[in-house]
Amino acid sequence: MADNRAIGVFDSGLGGLTVVKELRSLLPDEDIVYFGDTGRVPYGTKSRETIRKYAVEDEKFLLSKNVKLIIAACGTVSSVASDIGAKLPVPYFEVVSHSAVSAVNETKNKKIGVIGTAATVNSGMHKKLILELLPEAEVTACSCSMFVPLVEEGWFAEDDAVVLGTAGRYLKPMLESNVDTLILGCTHYPILSEAIDKVLNHKVRLINMGTSVALSVANYLKENDMLSEGNKGECTFYVSDKPDNFTNTASILLGNDFDEQKVEQVDLNSL
Ligand code: DGL
């Protein structure tokens, strides 16, 4: 039996759009409801308690939109609050575990890098999962706290001097430890992937968490007979602050898949 309810996706801001992009290419007929908590971004520099509280509120909002499944399209929430998501009344997907599997499958020299927000890196979640799958792996992890504000500001061009300088400084440990695979452990980071690739001399395989999770969601929907039938693949976006920056970057990132008429500001306190 088909399930025509939308897929719910949330992030602290724009980053989850990298997951939406991957979902659109694999599941073009599925409707998507997206929530970006732009009024409270960034999450990654906040305490575990605060991030968990935000995750509960974001998930409650998506449930109020009658979604059939929820994706925490946020490395930070996935790292510190997935136990909460696992108790939701609809299937829940986080982005961390699938990316660890992809990294282990891709690496040749068993040297894997992880970059993410401070909360994500401090949680040690990627490292733990990688070592469970490949105990002899060497994992180098570091947080890149300035990446999220750069993306939210719309600074992500590969030839932007500030972006390249910032990436060069953060990614030095990755060059020094000779990683051949790097998990972009924050969903904002694929937006900077061209600059990151350049700084790493085009020699490191970049793992986009959106690609890995979109594939798992597609398989899950097929296996559980939950694909929609006759939907037109509409995306509706909700944000918790004024939509301007979100709208600009979303239209660059999603192109024709983005309709700026479908962005609405909401107040989570009114739920
Ligand atoms: N995009 C998010 C992540 O994947 C959140 C970044 C942030 O808000 O700090 O971690």
Side-chain angles (χ1 to χ4, degrees):
M1 215 180 70
D3 189 335
N4 281 356
R5 291 174 298 167
I7 296 173
V9 181
F10 75 94
D11 178 46
S12 61
L14 284 158
L17 295 177
T18 60
V19 176
V20 170
K21 193 171 174 175
E22 302 299 324
L23 287 170
R24 297 287 303 146
S25 73
L26 277 184
L27 298 165
D29 299 331
E30 293 295 323
D31 290 347
I32 294 174
V33 173
Y34 183 89
F35 175 66
D37 197 3
T38 53
R40 303 191 292 197
V41 67
Y43 282 10
T45 50
K46 300 202 166 73
S47 69
R48 182 183 149 84
E49 292 66 35
T50 301
I51 297 164
R52 289 172 69 83
K53 175 174 164 287
Y54 289 174
V56 169
E57 292 168 1
D58 301 345
E59 287 155 2
K60 191 171 158 208
F61 174 75
L62 287 177
L63 288 174
S64 78
K65 297 292 169 195
N66 191 30
V67 295
K68 63 180 166 189
L69 172 151
I70 288 182
I71 305 175
C74 174
T76 307
V77 168
S78 300
S79 299
V80 307
S82 277
D83 56 317
I84 298 173
K87 294 187 192 122
L88 291 173
V90 295
Y92 169 81
F93 285 76
E94 43 79 28
V95 286
V96 171
S97 42
H98 310 283
S99 66
V101 175
S102 303
V104 165
N105 289 337
E106 290 288 334
T107 186
K108 299 276 181 290
N109 70 1
K110 300 182 182 167
K111 295 180 191 211
I112 299 174
V114 180
I115 52 173
T117 66
T120 297
V121 171
N122 291 339
S123 79
M125 192 59 90
H126 286 95
K127 184 169 180 177
K128 178 174 166 278
L129 292 168
I130 292 167
L131 292 177
E132 274 169 19
L133 295 164
L134 185 66
E136 63 274 33
E138 281 174 38
V139 182
T140 306
C142 68
S143 60
C144 305
S145 300
M146 295 293 292
F147 280 0
V148 170
L150 283 175
V151 169
E152 291 288 326
E153 189 65 22
W155 293 14
F156 43 78
E158 60 168 317
D159 54 357
D160 186 300
V162 176
V163 172
L164 285 173
T166 310
R169 188 155 166 180
Y170 278 132
L171 298 176
K172 209 157 161 248
M174 299 302 158
L175 289 169
E176 286 166 356
S177 55
N178 196 28
V179 301
D180 72 351
T181 305
L182 176 67
I183 298 181
L184 305 179
C186 165
T187 52
H188 279 70
Y189 297 179
I191 301 176
L192 297 169
S193 59
E194 285 173 353
I196 293 172
D197 187 40
K198 207 177 215 175
V199 164
L200 296 175
N201 305 317
H202 311 288
K203 285 196 177 128
V204 175
R205 210 164 284 109
L206 303 181
I207 305 291
N208 177 345
M209 298 194 295
T211 316
S212 329
V213 76
L215 199 58
S216 302
V217 168
N219 288 337
Y220 181 88
L221 292 179
K222 274 176 213 143
E223 279 161 17
N224 291 280
D225 218 1
M226 284 176 71
L227 287 167
S228 65
E229 223 171 72
N231 279 5
K232 294 201 182 80
E234 284 190 2
C235 298
T236 313
F237 302 90
Y238 296 91
V239 288
S240 54
D241 199 2
K242 61 182 169 54
D244 309 13
N245 269 6
F246 182 89
T247 303
N248 292 341
T249 305
S251 57
I252 296 171
L253 204 67
L254 298 179
N256 290 340
D257 282 336
F258 180 69
D259 175 356
E260 64 180 85
Q261 308 306 321
K262 296 227 162 109
V263 186
E264 192 183 316
Q265 183 172 348
V266 287
D267 178 4
L268 290 190
N269 294 321
S270 66
L271 278 184

